[in-house]
Amino acid sequence: MTAGFGLEKLGFLAQRFPRITLLIVAALTVPLAFAAAKVEFSSDVREIFRSGTQEYRNLQMVEAQYPQSGEDVLLLVQADDLFTLDNLKRLRDLHLNLHFVDGVKYVSSMFSAHDPPDSTGSAEAVFPMEVSEAELPALREALLAHPFVSGKLLSDDATTALFVVAIEPRPKIDDLRVVADDLRKVTDEALAGTDMHGDLSGVAFFRLEIVGALMRDQRILIGAGFTVSLIICLIFFRSPVYALLAGVPAGIAVLWTLGITELRGQEITVLTGVVPGLVTVLVFASSLHLMVGLKRNLVSGASPREAIASSVRDIGPACVLAAMTTAIALLSLALVPHALVSGFGLTAAIGTAVAFLVTITVLPALAALLLGRRGAKENSDQTLNRIFAATSAGCRSLGRRILSHPEAFLAVGLVVAIGAGVLYATISPSYQYRDYLPSGSQASKVMNVVDAQFAGTEAVLLHIQWPEGKDLDSSEVLALVGESHKTLESLPLVTKAMSLHSIETWMLEGGLMKEQILRFLEEARSPFIERMMSVDHKSALVAGYFPAVDASELVPVLDDLEADLVGLRAAHPEAGFVATGIAAHSARASYEMIVDLNRSLMLAIGLNILLIGLVFWSLRAGLYSMLTNILPIAVAGAILHLTGAGLQFTCVVAFTIGFGIAVDNAIHILNYYRLMRSNGEAVKPALEETIATIGPALAVGCLVLIVGFGGTIFSELPSLRLFGEVVIMLLATALLANLLVLPALIAFVEGRSEQKSAAPQTTKGG
């Protein structure tokens, strides 16, 4: 059995029956391409931390009872002075017209404000039907003193008004585009010809911007990676035929991967958006190794058929093993109990398998058809021969330097690994959901204004649940909500709290009796009230608002809240208290996810070391790969620590992908080194020949991978940019580690063993 478990024999079959192979591939590609055209994009930031945990179930429970929480569209209107007669008239018309947009449930703004109800329950609107110039100062003061307007719907300087537009929860993306377009149209018409300007934001608009960014990134990652990889192949091989040999399998593999994704019922997310680009560069990287071997065989005088067979036989097993180690690393992500990451791991692992299958079948079949017509023309390409000779000579010279002082190279590698590992171990986790939104987007800028001038865009939700069958007494309910309100309001970060306690305080000012309040609210069932209590579910909701912060700042505040809830639960055992909300859940879940991802990364490292050891039937081979492929992870983590970027969960996902790909370099080196040793070469000559032969392909392959992932740097999503930067750091460091440290390690260990075994023979011979 070969290192590739015999799977490389698919290449022999493809070479022997090229036309049949390509017909089968074409027959599979047509329906999968049709499916790929229908794949959809996911945009819900909640999906990032979807899991089966109790914390996530708590969030789902609260969202089910209060479906409007977090779903609002925010319309921000700004001007130097909103309080002119014309501006107020336009804004009132805007408030009314927004209600007529299909998909809008209701609108809250300063025009919704009422005076507190009197003893009979009557409440006058703050805005009269007609307003005179003389009444404007008093009206402005009244609104700035209103507890539900000031700092919530109108800024303290009265230059910014906020319209909260409630829409149907989680509409389909196409329906959401229609609602968004209608809202923009109504807003533009209402504000046309004034000094006011309006901007829309909120979770719904984040969804639209995320989808737009994902679609754009797909085009960049696939298009740029594909184009630049083809150019690299053209420059290196100086032949369009060789570019075709790599390009056709890459295109087919991408279509297959997207088609399978659609057939599995999966959507493209902020993580799986990189999978087509990953598949593209994996195909090009594997194709490069096969084509370098093929070219080397042709230059040495072999016929096209012999050259293809020899390349598949010598390099195919390493390609199989490389695909397996990458897939194992990615499948380890499927064990993480978060749907976004586990779904990405499975999708990327399937893409890796597809990349190998298409490469090992399509490339030999195409080569048999295309190169068979060229005959021995390869031998006459002296320019290309000189390129091969020059790159090989450069790598050979590098190998000699390493092998002349292996101890020094190994010592440097160990020092870097230990130092970087210490920094990696002390890095702090980091998460903000806005890192998963397009940077510089208008919706994000609006949220920044809301954070600066209003209570904030984030909220901790404290849910209070009374048992079924319990009759709720008004004073008891309001007293408990009041305690909870004060608990939440006293937390650091929280700027304002909203609850039934806020309404109680306001209503008592109007003359309504305390015992009347709950009955009044139950009968009113206004959309505003339904955000704070659910009559049907016998629950209440207290919301504490604060500006967006990093998870590292929010988690300690949540810990303080949990400590406070211990006392509330003890004092009120009949009620249930749950602290949740998308901000609170994602802050805690990001920490837990990073722990889970690190655990899956360790599992991937252990399994791959074991696999390499078993395949090469050598514990040493597995240990060799461990040092040189953990080193890049430590270095990338140290750089994140030193730059203050923090450890985001996308970074750990990038570590896993980078490790899976980096191991491929070690496999190709170990595979060719074993081949040289089996041919009777001593340790250092075998290593020198390995570096001279495999080094150029590794370098060009690394360049292709870096270029492929380099497209992420142009992404509008900060998380995806960081993901790409980390992968690029890993790939570059892994290339250096495998070319410099791995040969030094092998020479140090096996060279000394060889010398010891040779010493007795020399003594005996003497």
Side-chain angles (χ1 to χ4, degrees), residues 18 97 140 281 344 404 485 506 524 530 549 576 590 642-643 653 681:
N97 291 335
R140 171 176 168 154
V281 295
F344 165 76
S404 63
H485 181 106
W506 175 66
E530 287 179 347
V549 295
S590 64
L642 294 173
T643 57
V653 172
E681 294 284 352

Side-chain angles (χ1 to χ4, degrees), residues 28-40 218 251-268 275-276 279 347 350-351 354:
L28 291 171
T29 302
V30 172
L32 287 174
F34 179 75
K38 299 194 297 181
V39 68
E40 296 184 353
Q218 281 277 283
I252 293 172
V254 168
L255 288 176
W256 283 23
T257 302
L258 289 173
I260 293 171
T261 300
E262 168 63 21
L263 293 177
R264 290 174 53 231
Q266 300 297 304
E267 294 178 318
I268 300 296
V275 172
V279 169
T347 300
I350 291 172
V354 167

Side-chain angles (χ1 to χ4, degrees), residues 119-173:
S119 58
T120 65
S122 299
E124 294 292 328
V126 174
F127 264 89
M129 293 299 295
E130 297 293 335
V131 182
S132 66
E133 190 80 36
E135 294 173 315
L136 288 180
L139 179 60
R140 171 176 168 154
E141 292 303 316
L143 287 169
L144 289 176
H146 198 287
F148 301 130
V149 175
S150 178
K152 298 181 179 69
L153 300 173
L154 183 65
S155 64
D156 293 338
D157 59 3
T159 61
T160 306
L162 187 64
F163 292 73
V164 180
V165 183
I167 62 173
E168 296 295 333
R170 298 174 185 79
K172 292 182 179 179
I173 199 68

Side-chain angles (χ1 to χ4, degrees), residues 215-237:
M215 294 176 70
R216 176 179 176 273
D217 289 344
Q218 281 277 283
R219 293 192 295 268
I220 291 176
L221 287 173
I222 298 174
F226 193 84
T227 302
V228 178
S229 298
L230 278 178
I231 292 172
I232 291 173
C233 288
L234 281 169
I235 293 173
F236 190 73
F237 291 101

Side-chain angles (χ1 to χ4, degrees), residues 45 164 189 226 230 235 251 307 329-330 346 362 371 472 515 520 530 535 625 630 643 652 664 682 734 748 765:
V45 293
V164 180
E189 289 176 352
F226 193 84
L230 278 178
I235 293 173
L330 292 166
L346 183 56
V362 175
L371 296 180
L472 299 184
E515 57 270 17
F520 179 86
E530 287 179 347
V535 176
S625 67
I630 290 180
T643 57
V652 190
D664 299 354
F748 179 77

Side-chain angles (χ1 to χ4, degrees), residues 30-98:
V30 172
L32 287 174
F34 179 75
K38 299 194 297 181
V39 68
E40 296 184 353
F41 293 82
S42 173
S43 56
D44 194 343
V45 293
R46 293 176 181 82
E47 293 299 317
I48 295 175
F49 298 108
R50 178 179 292 276
S51 66
T53 62
Q54 182 60 47
E55 289 75 14
Y56 189 76
R57 287 194 290 270
N58 288 339
L59 177 63
Q60 287 182 304
M61 178 267 294
V62 172
E63 289 184 339
Q65 293 188 14
Y66 299 88
Q68 206 54 53
S69 58
E71 280 292 324
D72 298 317
V73 172
L74 303 181
L75 169 58
L76 200 70
V77 179
Q78 294 178 292
D80 292 335
D81 185 9
L82 294 176
F83 279 78
T84 67
L85 288 177
D86 182 59
N87 282 351
L88 288 177
K89 180 180 182 304
R90 296 288 193 103
L91 291 176
R92 171 178 268 173
D93 290 343
L94 173 61
H95 174 90
L96 294 173
N97 291 335
L98 287 172

Side-chain angles (χ1 to χ4, degrees), residues 515-575:
E515 57 270 17
Q516 296 177 282
I517 293 176
L518 194 62
R519 186 174 69 255
F520 179 86
L521 296 178
E522 289 176 346
E523 292 173 356
R525 291 210 176 197
S526 71
F528 180 64
I529 302 302
E530 287 179 347
R531 289 173 177 267
M532 303 175 205
M533 68 175 293
S534 173
V535 176
D536 296 336
H537 296 97
K538 290 192 175 182
S539 68
L541 196 66
V542 184
Y545 294 94
F546 57 93
V549 295
D550 189 85
S552 59
E553 296 180 64
L554 182 55
V555 167
V557 175
L558 296 175
D559 291 339
D560 291 343
L561 176 58
E562 285 298 328
D564 293 338
L565 290 182
V566 172
L568 276 175
R569 291 181 179 121
H572 305 279
E574 76 285 359

